Amino acid sequence: MRNVIIIGSGCAGNTAAIYTARANLNPLVVMGHEPGGQLSITSLVENFPGFPEGIDGPVLVENMKKQAETFGAEYVYGVVEEAQLSSRPFRLKIDEEWRETRTLIIASGASARWLGLPSEQKLIGRGVSSCATCDGAFYRGRKVMVVGGGDSAMEEANFLTRFASEVTLVHRRKDFRASKIMLERARNNPKIKFLHSAVVDEIYDVSKNEVTGVRLRNLEDGRSWDQQVDGFFVAIGHIPNTKPFRGQIDLDPEGYIVSHGGARTNIPGVFHAGDVQDRIYRQAITASGAGCMAAIEAERFLEAEGH
Ligand code: NAP
């Protein structure tokens, strides 16, 4: 029986681990599908306080893990397949094994959203990617396309210009969701071409098992045309990782955990932290702050219960 199990090993989960470990609660961290979370596939993080020169995302998150382990946090590779939260202790099925815990911190984050085209799904890893940092270097001197109109799309497009000869950024509207500074940076980059009010209807060429181009459609006049590209990056947001908790804890229509104040869910003893609940800020520092809140609430809950 654990005092606390933390699901997820991104900024939120690692910070919750540091705090609960330091409070002698001997937390178990289940690392999930993407150990280290979104920072593990980021390049330079320039806005995490305390690093005036910036710090590499994977280094930052690994440092957090080491810090938690220093205080006794235990990490296991694995994914939560099923959860039973209707009675205490809570039960979690992790890689075929059931584990029990008095409190639970859900910090399972959010995963990349895809366009949903059959050709996109078939070409993932074969020229279609959701992570410029991971795959950008394959496109040295080549032409790539990025879809999306938020900060992620701007960041990915900018990053890709380090390698690619040309980056086309496709967005479905005229107005961009991205912050002014990120949008300006992309607009001022001579390698980035903007294509607004357009969508991608098809990615070629499934028969060749590689990306050779796309079919685009202008949403204002309905005109369709083909464009040659060698790589295709999707940056259209994320989907919260809450599948095992569906029907058990309050989720909003998009699957994000509904907060019941602070880090509380509707179930006493189950807390949320990070992008699995936060659809607004979604920053490394806010996720870390949320992990700290969840840890403090778990500690107080256990204390009130006499543990
Ligand atoms: P986002 O802000 O939700 O933007 C998603 C974009 O994808 C929107 O422009 C949306 O279009 C478009 N989109 C969604 N579904 C689509 C579809 N099926 N087909 C075509 N386009 C589609 O997501 P994000 O850019 O990943 O950013 C998430 C959060 O992280 C934001 O708060 C952002 O500020 C933050 N972030 C910050 C930084 C940074 O500061 N360094 C970097 C990355 C992300 P519509 O606009 O038409 O809805």
Side-chain angles (χ1 to χ4, degrees):
M1 166 77 74
R2 288 279 173 169
N3 284 313
V4 54
I5 289 184
I6 298 165
I7 304 173
S9 53
C11 291
N14 280 322
T15 308
I18 293 169
Y19 272 77
T20 49
R22 211 162 163 269
N24 269 336
L25 295 176
N26 186 226
L28 178 74
V29 182
V30 185
M31 292 172 77
H33 281 296
E34 288 172 27
Q38 290 181 55
L39 272 197
S40 67
I41 52 169
T42 320
S43 50
L44 195 64
V45 179
E46 292 177 308
N47 49 13
F48 202 91
F51 302 94
E53 313 291 326
I55 181 166
D56 270 335
V59 174
L60 177 59
V61 83
E62 184 57 30
N63 282 348
M64 290 184 191
K65 176 171 178 273
K66 276 190 203 144
Q67 196 173 341
E69 284 170 332
T70 306
F71 297 116
E74 209 180 305
Y75 284 73
V76 287
Y77 284 103
V79 172
V80 174
E81 288 144 5
E82 222 180 303
Q84 293 175 355
L85 308 180
S86 52
S87 59
R88 273 191 267 144
F90 305 122
R91 299 183 76 229
L92 299 169
K93 193 176 172 195
I94 301 160
D95 290 347
E96 296 299 314
E97 192 186 333
W98 284 97
R99 295 182 188 250
E100 293 187 339
T101 182
R102 296 186 175 103
T103 65
L104 179 64
I105 296 176
I106 303 175
S108 47
S111 296
R113 185 189 294 278
W114 297 98
L115 296 174
L117 302 168
S119 49
E120 168 199 60
Q121 293 306 303
K122 288 191 182 123
L123 292 169
I124 290 174
R126 296 174 170 84
V128 172
S129 169
S130 67
C131 175
T133 322
C134 317
D135 301 324
F138 299 130
Y139 299 96
R140 209 171 283 277
R142 306 179 78 185
K143 291 181 180 170
V144 300
M145 181 167 282
V146 176
V147 179
D151 283 340
S152 297
M154 303 307 136
E155 192 173 65
E156 302 250 305
N158 265 315
F159 179 78
L160 285 165
T161 60
R162 292 189 199 181
F163 312 100
S165 57
E166 183 185 296
V167 178
T168 307
L169 192 133
V170 179
H171 178 41
R172 63 185 177 185
R173 290 188 300 133
K174 249 194 190 122
D175 299 321
F176 287 83
R177 198 175 286 276
S179 55
K180 209 169 166 230
I181 183 168
M182 303 280 283
L183 183 60
E184 281 311 306
R185 204 176 284 174
R187 280 204 195 281
N188 291 334
N189 189 323
K191 278 189 174 178
I192 301 177
K193 291 195 171 131
F194 278 73
L195 201 57
H196 64 74
S197 312
V199 289
V200 174
D201 280 336
E202 180 76 35
I203 305 168
Y204 306 122
D205 184 334
V206 172
S207 69
K208 289 191 181 146
N209 224 5
E210 63 178 358
V211 172
T212 59
V214 295
R215 188 171 74 240
L216 290 150
R217 179 164 44 93
N218 184 305
L219 292 175
E220 285 171 351
D221 59 17
R223 187 174 53 93
S224 278
W225 73 101
D226 288 348
Q227 182 171 330
Q228 183 257 321
V229 290
D230 306 301
F232 187 82
F233 292 82
V234 182
I236 59 168
H238 291 83
I239 297 171
N241 296 317
T242 48
K243 204 168 160 208
F245 314 111
R246 263 184 223 159
Q248 304 212 48
I249 64 174
D250 281 357
L251 304 178
D252 74 10
E254 284 182 52
Y256 286 89
I257 294 178
V258 174
S259 184
H260 283 246
R264 290 185 292 281
T265 67
N266 60 311
I267 301 176
V270 180
F271 304 97
H272 59 73
D275 288 13
V276 74
Q277 178 273 326
D278 169 26
R279 51 162 69 239
I280 298 171
Y281 304 106
R282 299 190 267 200
Q283 300 300 299
I285 188 67
T286 51
S288 277
C292 162
M293 287 164 64
I296 291 174
E297 295 219 23
E299 191 186 339
R300 289 185 182 159
F301 179 88
L302 287 166
E303 204 173 354
E305 299 267 306
H307 296 296

